[in-house]
Structures are given as structure tokens and as C-alpha cells.
Amino acid sequence: MKTRTIAEPYKIKMVESLKTTTREQRLAAIKEAGYNTFLLKSDDVYIDLLTDSGTTAMSDVQWSKMMIGDESYAGARSFYTLEAAMHEIYGFKHLIPTHQGRAAEHLTSLIRIQPGQYVPMNMYFTTTRAHVERVGGIFFDCIIDEAKDTKVIHPFKGNVDMAKLQKLVDEVGPEQIAYLNIAPCVNMAGGQPVSMANMREVRAFADKYGIAVIYDATRAVENAYFIQQREAGYQDKTIKEIFRELMSLADGCTVSSKKDNLVNIGGFLATNDDGFARRAKELVVVFEGMPTYGGLAGRDLEALAQGMREMVEDAYIASRVRQVEYLGQKLIDAGVPIMLPIGGHAVFLDATNFLPHIPQDNFPAQTLAAALYVDSGVRAMERGMVSAGRDPKTGENNRPKLELVRLTIPRRVYTNLHMDVVAESCIELYENRHKIKGLTMTYEPDSLRFFQARFEELEPAMA
């Protein structure tokens, strides 16, 4: 029997007009932005796939909840509403709200890391690594090797390589491991998930050596969906059940609520560690606000609490990931090189194989993101050498094996017709890839350079 089409589990109640521009206008805009899509004005963008962070369309229920937000400075009712939702969905003991995810990373790094300690991660994330290194920590990549090959098909490319982890502990000792920072799914590897079996191995390893496991749980609901679809024994479990089991294998987590949690601003720390929670509440007052609001308004806390419950609805998350698959499959069918398998929150163009004539020193992923915008008004972002930054000891460019362009799908925002537009632009660029030239960097910030760096073309080819 032929598989029936499954539509989005919602209907559109409000629309926002999109601005269309000419190629000449887009060329002028990208030059003004220094060929950095982060520096484009949103009014000059047609389809915005820069990020899924804070770009969600909230539900009618979320908007209604905002009207009952308690804006009391201390002890607001809305905090306890959020705390109850976190207990139900995540299952951790303590909640500390923050204004967004990187604030939670900042507090975690300050409290947990001593200079010279290692923080193993299943591949780095930009802001996480920056916070680790700013307090003297050392990033250690323990992801499986398959994650760094775009052509390898593996159901759980985000998995931790336990042999790499064991080797590190044998060399430096468990006391030199600040904590294990595990991301389900792995953004920089193309939105690739971890398996429940692998996380059980990580938990057993951590218990053996007395090391804490801290998730970056920003996109963990998408990971729960992949476990449901790919891992034996989970096909008949709900996303909510799988998610709660996954969270039970960690001691705590940091979350950017602007992704899974379906809100436009916010984040939090959650932990089972009483001592860590106490110190985090002390520091959150210094950097964010009272522990019961953490830089957020009461209305934000209410919307976040509702978003936590909506994110684990099976129909919603299936629709969300399937839209990403829809775009990815169109590109695969046309022979466009992407990270395989298709990830949870984005399709990642493989810039190395898309533009093999451009060396890494000329930033193929940055170049491709700029070319895509000029071609169609679609804004994507670079995830390659620019994002990887420099080695803090040598000052040399970090050279990741992956040079990717992330086509990040906002939640509940675009239709599949928008995905068709994106696919057509990528396909046409690939057919004419030999015309695309590289870039050189003209301005480089000291940290997180991908946000503000500026470039210029080696040759004026985009015109």
C-alpha cells in the first residue's frame, strides 16, 4: 500500500509578508555585509534558514499563556509553573532559568571547570567551547570517526567513542575531567543523534570514575525521535517516554529554549546536584537576575512551560523532522552533496564536495552561504573553518574535517513550497559550481568570529 502524505498537525492562523528582492539588490546587500550572512538585514532576506534559534512560530496556547504571566520580581507564580513542566518533561530536581542557552553554559563553565581540566564533548559547539576555553578548560573531541565523513551512513553519528574517552582518562586521570558534555543531537555534525545504548555506556563510564554527565539538551527532542525511529525496542514508546529516559542518564543539562522548547527567547540550567544548584543560584543573581526569573519576563516563563509540553507531542516532532527530510531528499535526488544521513534540525550542504576547487583557506562553506543568498535570497550559515576559530595556544586556524553550510529549518514557520525554492536554488548553484570563487577574511573578531567576521571575494564572480 502506498504511503499517504502526512500534513502538518496544525493550521495557519496568522501570516507575515515576505520581501522579494532582485539579484542586484542581494549582491549589494551581501557586499555591505562583508559576505557574512549574519550581518545581513533580515528585511533583505526572503527565506531565512540562518538558524532555528528563537525563530519558532509559537502556538495559540502559548500566546494565551503569556497573558497570565506573573511579573513579580521574586517568587513569581510563573516560575513554579515552569518548574512543574520541567519536572514532568525533563525530570531533574533543580531549575535555574537564564536569558538564553549560552548564559547557562557560562554558569556551568564557571562553576565546574578548573584551569587545565578537560571537557570531553561529542564534537564541539561554538559557544560551549568558547565558554570552556575562557575559564581555562580544554576541549576534547570524543565523537565517533563516522561523524566526520559526510558520505557514511550511520544511524547514530553523534555517539561517543568510548575508546577515545577511556584513553583520555588513562592519560590524564579522572580528576582532570571537569565533566562530560554530551549533545543529543550534535549540531556541528549535521544534527546527528546519539543512541540510548551509547548514553547508557557513557553513564556507566561516568559512574565508574565519578564524573558528571551534563547534556547540551537544546535539540534532544529531535534525538528522541531518531531513537524512536532507529533504535530497537523504542518503536512503541512515545516521544515523551523516550525523552524522559534519555534525560535520566544525565546529572543535569543546559538548554537554549529557543530551539526544542518552541519559544523566541530563554534558556535554563537543570540539575540533580544540590551543591551545583546552590552555586548556580548565587551566580545567576550576579549575571541574570533572581533565580526565579533568570533574565526572563513572567510571560516568557509561561510560554516556555507550555512549549515544553508541546515539544514532546509525537505528531509535532514527526512533522518537524519530516520537513527537514523533505528538503534533504530533494537535494539527494539531484545529486547535491549533503551530510548523510539527514539530520534533525537542518540540512547541511557538504561545501568541500560542492566546491572542490576552493581550498579550505578560502572558506568554501562561507563562500557557498553567500552565493546561495545572492542566487535566491535564502539565508543560510557557515559551519566550517570560520566557525571552528583558532587554537588558543598556537593561534593557528582550527581545521575541521567538515566544511558545511547549514540550512536550518525554523519550527512551524515555512511550508514545503518554501523548501522547494531552497532546493531549486541549491541545485542550480551546484550545476554552476565552477563559477563560484573563494573568499578572503578582511576582519576577524577575537572570539566567535563567525558572527561578525567580514570577507571579500577573491574574484568578482557572484555578480
Side-chain angles (χ1 to χ4, degrees), residues 86-197:
M86 189 278 292
H87 287 158
E88 175 190 345
I89 305 302
Y90 288 83
F92 293 109
K93 184 176 179 181
H94 300 284
L95 170 72
I96 300 98
T98 58
H99 79 279
Q100 62 179 51
R102 69 192 60 172
E105 294 173 340
H106 171 60
L107 294 175
T108 299
S109 298
L110 281 177
I111 296 168
R112 289 191 174 273
I113 300 173
Q114 297 297 319
Q117 284 188 316
Y118 289 82
V119 181
M121 304 181 202
N122 53 341
M123 197 172 282
Y124 77 98
F125 183 66
T126 51
T127 58
T128 316
R129 181 172 180 172
H131 286 302
V132 166
E133 292 178 345
R134 285 180 70 87
V135 296
I138 303 168
F139 159 73
F140 177 81
D141 190 357
C142 60
I143 201 166
I144 59 175
D145 291 339
E146 289 88 338
K148 297 175 183 179
D149 188 331
T150 61
K151 298 177 182 179
V152 169
I153 301 294
H154 187 292
F156 295 104
K157 273 188 171 179
N159 278 355
V160 172
D161 187 321
M162 301 307 298
K164 292 179 183 177
L165 205 52
Q166 184 67 61
K167 186 173 185 292
L168 176 66
V169 171
D170 290 344
E171 289 177 355
V172 305
E175 68 283 353
Q176 281 299 102
I177 310 298
Y179 55 95
L180 306 180
N181 187 255
I182 308 301
C185 293
V186 183
N187 187 353
M188 303 298 285
Q192 302 297 318
V194 300
S195 70
M196 194 76 78

Side-chain angles (χ1 to χ4, degrees), residues 25 30 33 104 163 179 181 227 247 252 268 270 291 295 332 351 376 446:
Q25 289 171 325
I30 199 69
Y179 55 95
N181 187 255
I227 289 172
M247 292 300 108
F268 63 91
I332 291 170
S376 58
D446 290 336

Side-chain angles (χ1 to χ4, degrees), residues 211-443:
I211 303 170
V213 177
I214 307 298
Y215 284 157
D216 174 354
T218 294
R219 296 183 179 88
V221 174
E222 292 161 10
N223 202 110
Y225 175 80
F226 285 125
I227 289 172
Q228 185 191 62
Q229 299 300 307
R230 299 176 182 176
E231 192 163 359
Y234 289 92
Q235 285 71 27
D236 296 327
K237 291 182 178 291
T238 67
I239 293 297
K240 185 176 181 179
E241 290 170 335
I242 297 168
F243 184 83
R244 183 64 179 267
E245 182 178 341
L246 186 62
M247 292 300 108
S248 73
L249 300 175
D251 298 292
C253 66
T254 62
V255 176
S256 170
S257 294
K258 298 161 68 177
K259 285 86 168 177
D260 269 353
N261 294 160
L262 299 171
V263 291
N264 305 125
I265 195 67
F268 63 91
L269 288 173
T271 182
N272 293 324
D273 184 331
D274 294 342
F276 174 76
R278 182 172 59 254
R279 294 185 65 192
K281 289 177 182 179
E282 293 169 358
L283 283 178
V284 82
V285 175
V286 177
F287 295 110
E288 299 284 299
M290 285 293 289
T292 51
Y293 75 89
L296 297 173
R299 56 184 173 270
D300 299 323
L301 302 178
E302 293 284 350
L304 175 51
Q306 178 62 25
M308 284 185 183
R309 295 190 168 100
E310 290 181 11
M311 75 178 186
V312 292
E313 294 172 358
D314 285 69
Y316 153 70
I317 192 61
S319 171
R320 189 276 188 287
V321 177
R322 284 171 184 159
Q323 186 174 50
V324 178
E325 291 173 348
Y326 176 86
L327 173 59
Q329 194 59 53
K330 279 191 164 290
L331 297 178
I332 291 170
D333 292 344
V336 177
I338 68 170
M339 167 62 85
L340 298 174
I342 301 165
H345 69 295
V347 175
F348 288 70
L349 301 176
D350 179 358
T352 299
N353 288 300
F354 198 115
L355 302 173
H357 57 286
I358 298 179
Q360 193 171 34
D361 285 330
N362 294 128
F363 312 109
Q366 189 76 36
T367 301
L368 182 53
L372 178 63
Y373 171 74
V374 172
D375 182 72
S376 58
V378 174
R379 176 160 66 167
M381 70 170 295
E382 182 267 4
R383 279 302 186 216
M385 193 166 76
V386 180
S387 292
R390 294 184 180 274
D391 186 296
K393 291 183 179 179
T394 68
E396 296 296 319
N397 280 316
N398 291 314
R399 293 181 175 274
K401 291 186 177 180
L402 297 176
E403 278 282 330
L404 306 174
V405 173
R406 193 180 76 181
L407 306 172
T408 331
I409 316 301
R411 295 162 179 82
R412 304 189 296 205
V413 171
Y414 293 116
T415 69
N416 282 355
L417 280 176
H418 292 104
M419 299 302 102
D420 290 343
V421 171
V422 176
E424 289 167 7
S425 180
C426 292
I427 292 166
E428 186 164 335
L429 283 173
Y430 186 60
E431 291 171 348
N432 295 281
R433 57 193 178 277
H434 62 280
K435 298 180 181 179
I436 302 173
K437 309 300 180 183
L439 299 172
T440 184
M441 191 182 298
T442 60
Y443 167 69

